[in-house]
Amino acid sequence: MLDAKEEVAKTAFRTEGLTKTYGEGRSAVHALRGVDLEIVRGEIVVLLGPSGSGKSTLLNILGGLDRASEGDAWFGEQCLTKMNDRQLTAYRRKHVGFVFQFYNLMPSLTARENVELVTEIADNPISADEALDLVGLGKRLDHFPAQLSGGEQQRVAIARAIAKQPEVLFCDEPTGALDSTTGRAVLRVLQDVNEKLGTTVLIITHAAATAAMAGRVINFADGAIRDVKLNENPVDAEEVEW
């Protein structure tokens, strides 16, 4: 049996009674309703649910982009919900990377230069060339976003996120704007990042098929966790049905 310190060491995130409410009175929107959750380090986790179910709100709180109304969230031993703005900024800078549905690349910069925006401010980055090579774009370093396909642009965004060697990668609908073949290629990259770097990967999606590649699947509905399923035999990204 693991002691308390060992339990904390293997836990990436833990939440207790996490609540988020927007607005007041009759117009209040209850985005999260007392979420209790634990995510293990080194996992690929899929948060599954329809729009408005609360999954993106949870990601934003765990990623230090938003604050809970009530309850607590921890990253290892660090209580995120007790951090001030400066501490949350340092947390985001040192520990997490973000990948969104829309790539948010600078159109006037090459793939390498887009990644270098992160490596210049990170504490312990890998080179932009190495990050792009990890996502299969070693030969596209000097191409501008307009010269890249949608899938390639998303891979540049992933390279930018992993260049600072984050412990956690948050992905919000990373394949939402992609076709099935390109989407599988992006999921393969996320799987490679998890396997090669040991990065904890959280993927938010409404596409149920993506769950097949995850070690843990968390189903959201109406601001609460409906169920959590462990997947003992995750499939390769190439086998994900679309």
Side-chain angles (χ1 to χ4, degrees), residues 2 9 12-13 61 75 91 94 98 117 125 133 137 141 148-150 156 185 198 200 202 204 211 217 219 235:
L2 298 176
F13 293 102
I61 293 173
F75 171 67
Y91 160 71
K94 293 180 179 179
F98 296 94
L117 289 174
D133 191 55
L137 291 177
L141 304 174
L148 301 172
S149 69
V156 174
T200 304
L202 279 72
I204 285 185
V217 181
N219 284 286
V235 305

Side-chain angles (χ1 to χ4, degrees), residues 137-222:
L137 291 177
K139 296 182 179 180
R140 309 282 275 173
L141 304 174
D142 297 316
H143 287 68
F144 292 93
Q147 298 172 310
L148 301 172
S149 69
E152 287 172 331
Q153 290 184 59
Q154 187 62 294
R155 283 190 275 163
V156 174
I158 294 171
R160 182 179 57 191
I162 66 173
K164 62 180 179 179
Q165 301 196 74
E167 294 170 63
V168 183
L169 190 61
F170 292 102
C171 308
D172 196 349
E173 299 286 1
T175 62
L178 304 175
D179 60 61
S180 59
T181 300
T182 308
R184 288 189 191 96
V186 167
L187 293 178
R188 175 72 261 177
V189 169
L190 295 177
Q191 215 163 38
D192 286 343
V193 168
N194 171 258
E195 293 170 359
K196 295 176 181 178
L197 303 181
T199 308
T200 304
V201 178
L202 279 72
I203 303 172
I204 285 185
T205 183
H206 63 271
T210 307
M213 65 172 281
R216 187 183 304 259
V217 181
I218 302 169
N219 284 286
F220 264 81
D222 299 322

Side-chain angles (χ1 to χ4, degrees), residues 8 14 43 46 52 55 82 98 112-113 130 151 153 172 203:
V8 170
R14 179 169 58 89
E43 282 189 319
V46 165
K55 57 190 190 299
K82 289 182 170 55
F98 296 94
R112 177 193 280 119
E113 290 167 340
E130 184 179 352
Q153 290 184 59
D172 196 349
I203 303 172

